[in-house]
Amino acid sequence: MAEMSPPDGNRRAGRKGNKRSGTVADFRYKSSPPPETKSKERRARRDGASRNRNNGKAAEPASARAARSPRPMHKPHGGPRYRQAYAALDLGTNNCRLLIARPSGENFTVIDAFSRVVKLGEGLAHSGRLSDDAMDRALGALKVCSDKLRRRNVYLARSVATEACRRASNGEDFIQRVKDETGIVLDIITAEEEARLAVLGCHVLLEQGEGRAVIFDIGGGSTELVLIEPNGRGVPRILDWQSVPWGVVSLSDTVAKTDRGQEARLARYAEMRRVVGESFTPFAERVAQHAGQPDIRLLGTSGTVTTLASLHLELPQYDRRAVDGLIVPSQVMRDISLRLSAMSVDERCTLPCIGQDRAELVVAGCAILESIIDLWPAEKLGVADRGIREGILRSLMAGDFATARDRKAMDETRKAQ
């Protein structure tokens, strides 16, 4: 039977070694000095070259050159480093994802990305450990990420690991191995932090309305549910949340596989729904008073909802631009889920946007999705192809902007004194 409390309550969530992780960001990928330092170095080289050209005489000071130059001098920008790259890496139970971006006004522009199915949590539900094969797959993907981080001259990065590393008895050993072999320092975040980052990354796609909403993230090893209250254009206020240890990998591994005909497949699907529904019960009871209100909204961020949305649109291949921000009737998502649950793995493999990688796992995601709609019966479902990585990037950029703003305020205070 599933645990009824967030899975980080008595595990190593948010820990590295024997100490609680306080890691927010990692500067180690900064392969070049800040622009101010580089400017000083360039001036020193230029002045040295001028001295050589002038037979050893000192070069004309930069201030003197600027004084007679019609081009104005530019002061350093007071906000975050807009030409610098920021990065967010999310190592989940099923996927390894990287996003590298630069600030662009209130948003950011993606300059590089990477995603690979690594199945880090494969077999974890039975053994309690990360297998050697799974760790090797994840390391292979992380080495690609490490190369990208250095090649893009990333100024500030944060790399997180989620449920698989939280649950595995050898999770912390794996984190150390990743650091030794790739240089990447992974922070095992709590389920609560995972939920917060998902909300921060995708809340802008919530359908307009005044009612309360549930944002959910169906992962490989866990599912996070968050009840939120709108806050105008700002980040919504989190009223309640729950994380259960059922994601597409953990649920698929726990409920015995069968392909002995449609009846057996539907029975397995019903068992998946029962298991997940029991785990959701405490959260369902707490939000029941809000679930019956008008204008409730629902937004999902996961491979499950984007895959089902692609099937709804009958896309020949996945297109993020068509899916991200799409609003789909909840009943349509239920109908697609039921259809997929009755199909064999081979039949699901033939469908566009599913293929071999998702054919085994998508049914578990459908069971979780239907259980969520049961407890929060919004008429429509919003689809987000964004989440933790985008939440990390927004946190990094906002924090850097606040630091720069505070530094500027202190400088102005000193000048005034």
Side-chain angles (χ1 to χ4, degrees):
M1 182 172 172
E3 296 178 5
M4 295 301 182
S5 59
D8 59 304
N10 57 359
R11 294 202 180 101
R12 291 161 298 282
R15 297 173 66 90
K16 280 191 294 196
N18 295 319
K19 297 179 181 179
R20 174 165 288 278
S21 166
T23 300
V24 174
D26 190 349
F27 288 88
R28 294 171 314 97
Y29 302 104
K30 187 171 65 174
S31 60
S32 58
E36 306 95 285
T37 304
K38 289 194 289 187
S39 297
K40 292 177 181 177
E41 292 174 354
R42 283 196 296 268
R43 284 197 297 272
R45 288 195 299 268
R46 186 168 59 243
D47 290 346
S50 298
R51 187 177 292 110
N52 290 336
R53 287 196 300 271
N54 293 331
N55 297 321
K57 296 180 180 179
E60 181 182 20
S63 57
R65 290 197 302 272
R68 57 182 174 78
S69 172
R71 185 173 57 188
M73 297 287 285
H74 294 281
K75 295 181 180 180
H77 201 289
R81 294 162 173 80
Y82 284 92
R83 298 181 64 185
Q84 296 284 7
Y86 294 72
L89 191 157
D90 172 20
L91 178 62
T93 303
N94 194 50
N95 289 277
C96 176
R97 298 185 178 98
L98 172 69
L99 205 58
I100 303 176
R102 290 193 180 101
S104 177
E106 295 182 354
N107 299 302
F108 54 79
T109 300
V110 175
I111 60 173
D112 206 346
F114 173 78
S115 180
R116 180 182 294 178
V117 174
V118 296
K119 298 181 181 178
L120 180 61
E122 188 175 54
L124 176 62
H126 298 297
S127 68
R129 295 176 56 83
L130 303 176
S131 71
D132 291 340
D133 288 345
M135 289 189 288
D136 288 343
R137 288 194 298 267
L139 278 163
L142 289 167
K143 287 174 182 176
V144 175
C145 294
S146 180
D147 289 342
K148 286 180 175 288
L149 288 166
R150 290 184 172 86
R151 192 164 62 249
R152 289 292 183 176
N153 294 326
V154 168
Y155 165 72
L156 189 60
R158 188 181 185 194
S159 306
V160 303
T162 55
E163 182 69 5
C165 291
R166 283 197 294 261
R167 298 186 70 186
S169 60
N170 59 340
E172 290 165 358
D173 293 337
F174 174 65
I175 296 299
Q176 185 60 49
R177 182 182 169 192
V178 169
K179 180 180 178 181
D180 294 341
E181 296 189 21
T182 71
I184 293 174
V185 179
L186 285 168
D187 183 25
I188 305 178
I189 59 173
T190 66
E192 183 176 11
E193 173 73 353
E194 186 175 354
R196 186 190 71 82
L197 289 171
V199 170
L200 184 60
C202 72
H203 73 88
V204 294
L205 295 181
L206 262 175
E207 187 181 11
Q208 291 297 314
E210 297 299 324
R212 290 177 175 174
V214 166
I215 294 179
F216 65 89
D217 181 5
I218 302 174
S222 66
T223 293
E224 283 68 48
L225 301 168
V226 187
L227 176 67
I228 64 168
E229 185 174 62
N231 182 26
R233 294 184 61 189
V235 178
R237 186 164 69 97
I238 294 178
L239 303 176
D240 200 351
W241 71 281
Q242 183 173 16
S243 176
V244 298
W246 301 121
V248 296
V249 175
S250 56
L251 187 60
S252 295
D253 285 350
T254 300
V255 181
K257 295 180 175 64
T258 181
D259 206 20
R260 294 176 301 187
Q262 186 177 105
E263 187 174 341
R265 292 193 290 270
L266 290 175
R268 181 181 185 238
Y269 185 67
E271 176 62 10
M272 285 181 170
R273 291 202 55 192
R274 183 194 67 78
V275 168
V276 175
E278 287 184 358
S279 283
F280 285 159
T281 298
F283 183 79
E285 291 174 348
R286 296 197 301 271
V287 303
Q289 59 179 320
H290 308 297
Q293 299 296 318
D295 199 26
I296 61 172
R297 291 160 296 156
L298 185 62
L299 176 65
T301 168
S302 70
T304 296
V305 293
T306 56
T307 297
L308 268 58
S310 299
L311 293 174
H312 167 62
L313 295 175
E314 299 182 347
L315 298 178
Q317 59 187 21
Y318 185 72
D319 183 351
R320 183 182 187 273
R321 294 170 298 179
V323 170
D324 188 46
L326 184 70
I327 306 294
V328 183
S330 297
Q331 186 57 50
V332 168
M333 299 297 257
R334 281 191 184 274
D335 293 342
I336 296 173
S337 296
L338 189 60
R339 177 162 60 93
L340 291 176
S341 68
M343 299 172 71
S344 68
V345 173
D346 289 341
E347 289 171 331
R348 290 194 294 270
C349 279
T350 64
L351 297 176
C353 305
I354 291 186
Q356 187 65 47
D357 283 343
R358 293 195 180 276
E360 289 278 1
L361 304 176
V362 69
V363 170
C366 291
I368 297 169
L369 175 60
E370 282 213 78
S371 298
I372 293 171
I373 298 174
D374 286 346
L375 68 89
W376 194 257
E379 291 186 3
K380 291 177 281 187
L381 169 65
V383 179
D385 186 356
R386 60 181 76 187
I388 292 175
R389 292 175 303 166
E390 288 79 4
I392 291 173
L393 286 174
R394 292 189 182 281
S395 294
L396 292 179
M397 293 176 187
D400 207 22
F401 180 86
T403 300
R405 182 187 58 204
D406 293 344
R407 188 183 299 115
K408 182 179 180 182
M410 286 189 291
D411 290 343
E412 290 175 351
T413 301
R414 292 192 190 98
K415 291 177 182 177
Q417 291 175 345

